[in-house]
Amino acid sequence: MMKSWVTDHRGVLLAAMAFGGATALATASGCGNGETVEVGPSPLRTETGFCEVLAEEVCNAEVLDRCYLSSDETREDDARRCVTAVQSSTFCNPEDRTYHPEPAEGCVDAYESVYRDGRIETGELEVIAAACDPVFNDGRVEGGSCEVDADCAAETGLECVGKPGGSQTCQIPVVITPGESCAASEEICEPTHFCGADDACVVRREVGEACEPTRPCEEGLACTGGTCVALAGNGSDCTDDAECDGGFCIRPPDNETGTCGSAAELASTNVYCAPFLP
């Protein structure tokens, strides 16, 4: 299965608003005589509205303090600049995929929970991917060719599956027990195994063993020069997040090299603030 990476956040009025285009009517609690008040249509019904809500939420005080080094005098202007940056398509929908409003609120909630403390951990990126892949996907139906999950209609449970090194299609995956046949297009192996040439789930390659696209390494290893090698541990030099066991290569914005870590603190001195800056 291939995951795509999405981006950030939420805003005001979410709980009160329906996703439909029609104006909703709600009874105001706490108002005398059960007065009925009009609640406008949800901003999440459109991609533009989603990106606006997202920007308002992600540009919180913690992000402004860490990325803009905001003061009381600059905070309002800094917030404006941050919102403008986050609303852009390169942040909100970087792969220009089709917007699906139904799961949008869950995506916004996921980003809010991650960025509220200005610290991103490896597991949190998986939470965001799970919540947000259904929001932006190309809606390909079962059996359609794909390269990543976001090519498929994720809201119907479809994922991009296939043999390592082979073609992939949108399917509702069925996990197969090691040693059993994985010949059907929807059948996948447990994470510790892969579907081999004989259509059976076999163990992934270990450190020092030969590897290639059709014979992948176990999780936490990389296939480098045809051999499975361990990812770099925390504190090791790196040039890219994918090289690090902890998932993050923490480096200054203008540097090609950095240091591996298992979490990234937002800071004006590293690359993780770049998406929030003009």
Side-chain angles (χ1 to χ4, degrees), residues 28-225:
S29 63
C31 296
N33 302 320
E35 179 184 354
T36 299
V37 296
E38 287 191 356
V39 177
S42 169
L44 299 180
R45 73 191 189 282
T46 66
E47 179 179 339
T48 298
F50 170 80
C51 292
E52 290 173 352
V53 167
L54 182 72
E56 291 174 6
E57 190 66 22
V58 72
C59 294
N60 59 43
E62 194 73 29
V63 168
L64 296 179
D65 287 344
R66 290 169 178 258
C67 297
Y68 283 82
L69 304 179
S70 290
S71 66
D72 290 342
E73 292 74 22
T74 66
R75 188 171 302 279
E76 184 175 344
D77 185 52
D78 292 341
R80 243 190 329 265
R81 294 165 65 203
C82 181
V83 165
T84 298
V86 175
Q87 281 183 224
S88 72
S89 60
T90 55
F91 183 98
C92 186
N93 184 9
E95 296 178 343
D96 193 28
R97 295 188 183 275
T98 304
Y99 176 65
H100 302 270
E102 293 80 8
E105 185 173 352
C107 174
V108 165
D109 286 340
Y111 274 109
E112 191 279 331
S113 68
V114 170
Y115 282 97
R116 65 172 59 147
D117 61 356
R119 176 183 173 90
I120 314 168
E121 300 186 10
T122 305
E124 292 178 327
L125 296 181
E126 293 299 320
V127 170
I128 288 174
C132 298
D133 276 0
V135 176
F136 288 105
N137 69 72
D138 289 342
R140 296 179 192 174
V141 298
E142 185 172 1
S145 63
C146 59
E147 295 181 3
V148 295
D149 285 352
D151 291 332
C152 308
E155 65 276 10
T156 64
L158 294 175
E159 298 179 16
C160 188
V161 302
K163 284 188 176 183
S167 60
Q168 300 180 107
T169 57
C170 296
Q171 304 288 344
I172 296 177
V174 176
V175 180
I176 301 302
T177 303
E180 297 298 320
S181 172
C182 50
S185 57
E186 73 276 10
E187 292 175 338
I188 62 172
C189 301
E190 295 178 356
T192 54
H193 291 64
F194 70 95
C195 191
D198 59 353
D199 291 332
C201 291
V202 294
V203 178
R204 287 175 174 263
R205 301 302 193 235
E206 298 180 350
V207 171
E209 292 188 324
C211 59
E212 58 183 329
T214 58
R215 296 187 299 168
C217 304
E218 63 184 25
E219 291 187 341
L221 302 181
C223 187
T224 303

Side-chain angles (χ1 to χ4, degrees), residues 5 122 125 222 224 230-253 255-264 271-272:
W5 197 80
T122 305
L125 296 181
T224 303
L231 296 176
N234 291 348
S236 301
D237 292 340
C238 57
T239 59
D240 187 84
D241 290 345
E243 300 172 9
C244 301
D245 186 42
F248 296 95
C249 180
I250 303 164
R251 56 186 177 84
N255 282 28
E256 292 185 1
T257 59
T259 304
C260 288
S262 55
V271 295
Y272 299 102

